[in-house]
Amino acid sequence: MATAQQIPDILSAEFAANPYPAYRAMREHAPLIWHEATGSWIISRYDDVERAFKDKESVFTTDNYNWQIEPVHGRTILQLSGREHAVRRALVAPAFRGGDLQDKFLPVIDRNARELIDTFRHTGTVDLVEAFATRFPINVIVDMLGLDKSDHERFHTWYTAVIAFLGNLSGDPRVMADGERTRVEFAEYMIPIIHARRDNLGDDLLSTLCAAEVDGVRMSDEDIKSFCSLLLAAGGETTDKAIASLFANLLLHPEQLAAVRADRSLIPRAFAETLRFTPPVHMIMRQTAVDVEVSGGTIPSGATVTCLIGAANRDSSRYAEPDTFDIFRDDLTTTTAFSAAADHLAFALGRHFCVGALLAKAEIETGVNQLLDAMPDLRLADGFDPVEQGVFTRGPRSLPVVFTPTSDPASA
């Protein structure tokens, strides 16, 4: 029987290369591990991670974000609870669902996908990560906020530094300094823009945030800046990784790619299964308010808990053949996959369920549809294996494909 000492450490090169065997060993033999280097308790079983995310009794809190997120974003909605959280969420949520998403932002998503694809549709070969996945979600968010897309490289640098800070499990001081510097630089960039937008409201998301009011509460400049910082980092990194992983999974399963190509209504299924099989975020932390019994023992009050999404999403007690990518599986409900009632754990659950889940779904559906239209016969470049990289967030760093070039429909 494996022990915690025999399971690869989450900071090891072996774990980074392929965490899934370690996840299986944790679930089966060491579902609760004390990890000295990160000062946290690691949980890996679906039921335990689901409980931590769905918690309605404030047993598993987000107090850990006071040190994990606030240094780079400022105080965000993720740290709030009770009425304060409910009001702040009510201020921002309408922009990411219903009429605003459909009427105002779907055209933005469609235009940005088309503009990027037009730069390579005629080439016959492209790295989908470099040319599309890393650019598309950031361009969409920047456009939604009404910011200057020519500053793309600055936004990309900032969100990369933020994600590195959040995933800095080893406590690298240089990564910490880069993240903290990003908070200052982003504030210097955004606060003047927020002031100007308050004086001249438009039809963009930033104007919506400036004008939003619920129960007499409005967002301060700092609230808006912190939310925009969180949106760029979380919305950029997760959708970037999701697009890359979705195509990698489909390209490695040609029969499923053919099915999606023939029936585009399967795209949400492919996205949901990608979120389960290869989630963009592999771990999220919580903090206990009291002693908590979980599989394998007791987590003491005030402890940091590392919830392994990547492990829980492959728990055989929840999914049949969990290590198989199957968009047709019947134990993952697509109709709820992008809501707080999701079966998978990639967007978390409960009151801190990802507010941008439907935005991500709209981006994926639009992007995948347009990419398949432009590259109907796309396939992996000869000899390339789309290996995942990363620990905190994870996905292919490169995805070179070849296809028959097509002309720009507009010019045609």
Side-chain angles (χ1 to χ4, degrees):
M1 175 180 288
T3 67
Q5 288 72 32
Q6 294 170 318
I7 296 170
D9 186 275
I10 63 172
L11 300 182
S12 69
E14 180 182 356
F15 182 88
N18 182 9
Y20 299 107
Y23 287 157
R24 186 184 308 112
M26 290 178 188
R27 289 192 307 266
E28 294 176 358
H29 307 297
L32 180 64
I33 296 175
W34 165 249
H35 191 253
E36 186 71 36
T38 59
S40 71
W41 294 87
I42 299 175
I43 58 176
S44 52
R45 290 183 178 172
Y46 183 96
D47 288 346
D48 292 327
V49 176
E50 179 190 42
R51 177 188 174 195
F53 289 166
K54 279 188 171 180
D55 174 53
K56 296 180 180 179
E57 301 173 352
S58 297
V59 171
F60 290 92
T61 74
T62 56
D63 290 349
N64 54 288
Y65 288 150
N66 296 345
W67 53 265
Q68 192 184 17
I69 281 183
E70 190 166 340
V72 287
H73 287 309
R75 189 165 176 79
T76 71
I77 190 173
L78 297 177
Q79 297 164 258
L80 307 180
S81 59
R83 182 178 181 276
E84 187 180 15
H85 174 265
V87 170
R88 287 299 187 281
R89 192 171 179 100
L91 285 166
V92 302
F96 296 93
R97 61 172 187 251
D100 274 3
L101 181 58
Q102 290 291 325
D103 301 334
K104 292 171 61 175
F105 300 131
L106 274 183
V108 172
I109 295 169
D110 183 81
R111 181 178 67 250
N112 276 283
R114 186 174 61 254
E115 287 174 352
L116 285 173
I117 293 170
D118 284 348
T119 66
F120 58 76
R121 67 169 68 242
H122 62 285
T123 63
T125 180
V126 69
D127 182 341
L128 281 181
V129 173
E130 192 282 327
F132 190 84
T134 60
R135 299 176 181 276
F136 177 48
I138 289 296
N139 285 358
V140 168
I141 292 169
V142 168
D143 237 3
M144 288 173 63
L145 290 168
L147 303 178
D148 187 350
K149 279 201 294 187
S150 67
D151 288 328
H152 175 275
E153 293 307 319
R154 298 175 71 182
F155 294 127
H156 190 272
T157 298
W158 285 332
Y159 99 65
T160 301
V162 168
I163 293 299
F165 184 96
L166 299 181
N168 186 25
L169 303 178
S170 62
D172 186 327
R174 184 175 57 182
V175 173
M176 294 174 66
D178 287 346
E180 291 167 355
R181 183 173 62 251
T182 292
R183 175 180 175 175
V184 174
E185 292 177 356
F186 189 71
E188 291 174 346
Y189 178 89
M190 280 301 302
I191 295 298
I193 295 174
I194 294 169
H195 289 167
R197 204 63 54 89
R198 286 193 188 280
D199 293 336
N200 187 22
L201 294 176
D203 196 34
D204 52 76
L205 176 58
L206 187 55
S207 296
T208 299
L209 297 175
C210 288
E213 183 173 337
V214 173
D215 294 343
V217 176
R218 302 184 70 175
M219 297 178 74
S220 68
D221 294 348
E222 177 64 21
D223 288 337
I224 295 172
K225 183 272 299 179
S226 297
F227 181 76
C228 291
S229 177
L230 180 65
L231 179 61
L232 282 163
E237 176 75 0
T238 57
T239 308
D240 167 353
K241 295 287 192 293
I243 293 170
S245 293
L246 187 153
F247 271 99
N249 289 332
L250 289 177
L251 286 162
L252 290 172
H253 298 82
E255 72 291 346
Q256 297 186 54
L257 174 59
V260 172
R261 184 185 293 120
D263 180 1
R264 304 299 176 82
S265 70
L266 294 175
I267 292 173
R269 275 184 170 270
F271 184 26
E273 175 65 348
T274 291
L275 291 172
R276 184 203 68 82
F277 186 67
T278 48
V281 178
H282 272 236
M283 53 188 73
I284 289 179
M285 292 181 175
R286 291 289 187 260
Q287 186 168 312
T288 54
V290 296
D291 291 357
V292 182
E293 291 288 333
V294 296
S295 302
T298 302
I299 302 175
S301 175
T304 300
V305 184
T306 299
C307 306
L308 293 182
I309 294 170
N313 272 356
R314 294 201 184 192
D315 193 327
S316 61
S317 71
R318 177 62 184 79
Y319 303 104
E321 299 186 32
D323 294 321
T324 298
F325 178 80
D326 180 9
I327 67 174
F328 299 106
R329 66 171 54 249
D330 57 12
D331 48 12
L332 184 65
T333 310
T334 306
T335 54
T336 60
F338 313 101
S339 73
D343 298 328
H344 65 82
L345 304 174
F347 286 137
L349 295 170
R351 63 181 179 273
H352 288 290
F353 176 80
C354 175
V355 72
L358 289 179
L359 172 63
K361 179 176 181 284
E363 289 177 320
I364 293 291
E365 289 183 345
T366 299
V368 173
N369 264 306
Q370 290 202 26
L371 285 166
L372 290 178
D373 285 344
M375 303 181 294
D377 60 347
L378 89 159
R379 57 204 180 278
L380 282 172
D382 289 345
F384 184 78
D385 181 15
V387 177
E388 291 183 310
Q389 296 184 48
V391 175
F392 180 75
T393 61
R394 190 169 176 85
R397 294 280 177 85
S398 181
L399 197 62
V401 298
V402 293
F403 56 95
T404 300
T406 58
S407 61
D408 180 354
S411 63

